[in-house]
Amino acid sequence: MSVTLRDKFYGCICGAHIGSAMGAIVEGWPYQKVVETYGVLDRLVPYGHYMDGTTKASGSTEDGVDRQKLMITAIMEKGGRVNAEDVRKVWQRDFNHEAPGNISEPFEGELMKIARTRVPARDLGRFCDYAGLNSFARACHPLGLINAGDVKGAIQDVLEVGQLYQTTNSRGLKWACVTAASIAAAAKPGATVDSVLRAIFDNLDERAHVEGREDGWYGDYAGINLVDEIKGALEYTKDCRDFKDMREAFDPYYSGYGMPYNISYANEVVTKGICVFKMTNANLKDAIIAASNLGRDTDCIAAVAGGIAGALDGTRHLPSEWIAQVDEATAVLRYTNNRRTMREHADGLYYAFKNRLQKMREQADRMGIA
């Protein structure tokens, strides 16, 4: 069954938003606690782990989705690709000042204050103390979609727009390139799980000579090369039958503690997201559930795995009640930057993409090379 490009856009946005909402309740938990509390978490549950102390309705999203919403607005208004200054303008106008600490991270409020000065947008990320986090890697889906089919364009836009949040060429941004490149590749007609993985390997391989194990897993050196780490993890988890096997396989390798945001480094979150995408064969429902049950940064892993799976396979496996629940929760979420439905976000990006293509055709016609 073929999937339309419009449904790929919708699947990507639903995957990111619903994955964020389902994983939010168990964010930061070891997987053993998830098992003790829910057995298998396969539904949307209220959560309340931010400073305001309130319980947010089932289906409520969190910080990464609101980061994403600002990018979507900028893309919709420009009708095509955006740069850091385009997104900064939307920050200045639409940022919900009650959000930091209540739905978004406190450092985002600090960046917003600097964004109101004359500091160039590309320099804002230098003032964030967390260059290796998944802040952008779990939120950059719109940049993959506006570059649907154009993997290199998606990478370029991540390295440009991502400087709002993290330092130029930081590890966090390089891992964000994996997310956006995967989505751009998944949106291609006829894309497969294997073609998405090839797009990562062909475009993001930073060769670094490391004397490691024959299976490609480099242990203490795992973060040196993106492709080596992903290939190693895919090899290490290739025999995992389900998320229960996978979380046990990952547990010895990703277990950081004793530092700020110890569960949220981009290499861990994106690598797990890619492995879930592969294991579930891009079934969006299965990917969201699997990621939400892995433990640690569950909402971010689910956003990455769900976003990529949705960009490949659309919404055909997604329960309609999950979509309705997230849209209903968004309509009453006090701290969000906007209350558009997932369909409105996805279609806004889709029509911006069509507008971009039309402008490219018109330019080709003017230059006589159509």
Side-chain angles (χ1 to χ4, degrees):
M1 177 181 175
S2 62
V3 182
T4 66
L5 183 60
R6 185 182 178 215
D7 197 48
K8 284 173 175 274
F9 275 58
Y10 191 34
C12 180
I13 294 302
C14 287
H17 291 212
I18 296 172
S20 294
M22 185 174 293
I25 184 64
V26 294
E27 180 185 9
W29 293 12
Y31 77 81
Q32 295 87 348
K33 184 177 178 181
V34 180
V35 175
E36 292 169 4
T37 307
Y38 294 104
V40 174
L41 178 62
D42 57 2
R43 60 194 183 280
L44 295 161
V45 180
Y47 76 92
H49 55 255
Y50 284 102
M51 294 190 308
D52 67 340
T54 62
T55 298
K56 296 169 180 64
S58 301
S60 297
T61 55
E62 40 58 79
D63 58 332
V65 168
D66 267 84
R67 232 168 273 144
Q68 190 180 98
K69 288 180 178 181
L70 296 171
M71 281 182 273
I72 293 173
T73 298
I75 290 169
M76 289 171 61
E77 292 183 357
K78 193 169 183 179
R81 295 170 70 180
V82 292
N83 59 35
E85 290 293 350
D86 295 326
V87 180
R88 191 246 287 266
K89 290 176 184 176
V90 175
W91 277 24
Q92 293 172 332
R93 187 191 69 204
D94 292 356
F95 186 80
N96 187 326
H97 293 279
E98 291 187 288
N102 292 323
I103 190 174
S104 64
E105 296 304 316
F107 68 76
E108 296 191 56
E110 297 168 2
L111 290 178
M112 187 64 243
K113 291 176 183 177
I114 302 170
R116 294 195 176 282
T117 71
R118 294 185 179 182
V119 172
R122 293 181 186 88
D123 289 341
L124 293 177
R126 298 183 184 185
F127 297 95
C128 181
D129 200 23
Y130 309 108
L133 292 191
N134 64 10
S135 308
F136 207 65
R138 59 92 63 237
C140 63
H141 303 53
L143 302 182
L145 292 175
I146 195 61
N147 287 284
D150 180 4
V151 172
K152 293 186 184 300
I155 292 169
Q156 291 168 359
D157 285 1
V158 165
L159 295 177
E160 159 67 21
V161 178
Q163 293 173 103
L164 286 163
Y165 280 101
Q166 293 170 309
T167 54
T168 305
N169 291 326
S170 64
R171 299 300 296 171
L173 292 191
K174 290 178 180 178
W175 281 99
C177 289
V178 176
T179 304
S182 299
I183 290 167
K188 289 182 179 181
T192 64
V193 170
D194 287 341
S195 73
V196 171
L197 296 178
R198 283 197 303 273
I200 298 171
F201 303 154
D202 291 346
N203 289 279
L204 293 165
D205 192 0
E206 302 175 301
R207 275 300 102 196
H209 179 69
V210 179
E211 295 297 333
R213 290 170 20 174
E214 291 183 359
D215 63 6
W217 189 276
Y218 293 124
D220 292 340
Y221 298 96
I224 290 178
N225 188 307
L226 283 71
V227 168
D228 288 338
E229 184 162 358
I230 294 169
K231 284 185 174 180
L234 288 168
E235 175 67 23
Y236 191 75
T237 60
K238 68 180 182 181
D239 295 324
C240 292
R241 296 162 298 177
D242 53 29
F243 63 82
K244 296 176 183 178
D245 289 344
M246 183 169 281
R247 63 194 179 193
E248 291 185 11
F250 274 131
D251 203 41
Y253 290 98
Y254 293 114
S255 55
Y257 62 92
M259 55 190 175
Y261 299 111
N262 60 83
I263 63 170
S264 300
Y265 279 82
N267 63 308
E268 174 182 347
V269 167
V270 176
T271 297
K272 287 180 175 178
I274 293 294
C275 289
V276 167
F277 166 73
K278 170 71 171 176
M279 182 187 69
T280 58
N281 196 33
N283 180 300
L284 180 50
K285 177 184 177 183
D286 291 348
I288 290 172
I289 292 173
S292 297
N293 283 273
L294 286 185
R296 294 177 64 79
D297 204 347
T298 45
D299 60 327
C300 295
I301 301 167
V304 172
I308 301 170
L312 181 64
D313 207 35
T315 57
R316 57 183 171 171
H317 294 114
L318 199 61
S320 59
E321 59 267 27
W322 288 5
I323 295 174
Q325 200 166 350
V326 170
D327 284 342
E328 289 169 8
T330 299
V332 297
L333 186 57
R334 173 178 173 180
Y335 303 111
T336 188
N337 292 315
N338 70 62
R339 294 185 173 85
R340 294 190 197 102
T341 65
M342 290 181 287
R343 170 60 79 185
E344 288 169 337
H345 282 298
D347 279 354
L349 287 167
Y350 175 68
Y351 291 118
F353 177 74
K354 290 184 67 176
N355 182 66
R356 177 191 170 196
L357 291 187
Q358 181 60 34
K359 288 182 177 179
M360 292 168 66
R361 292 189 188 101
E362 292 170 357
Q363 176 67 4
D365 288 342
R366 282 194 294 270
M367 298 302 295
I369 56 174

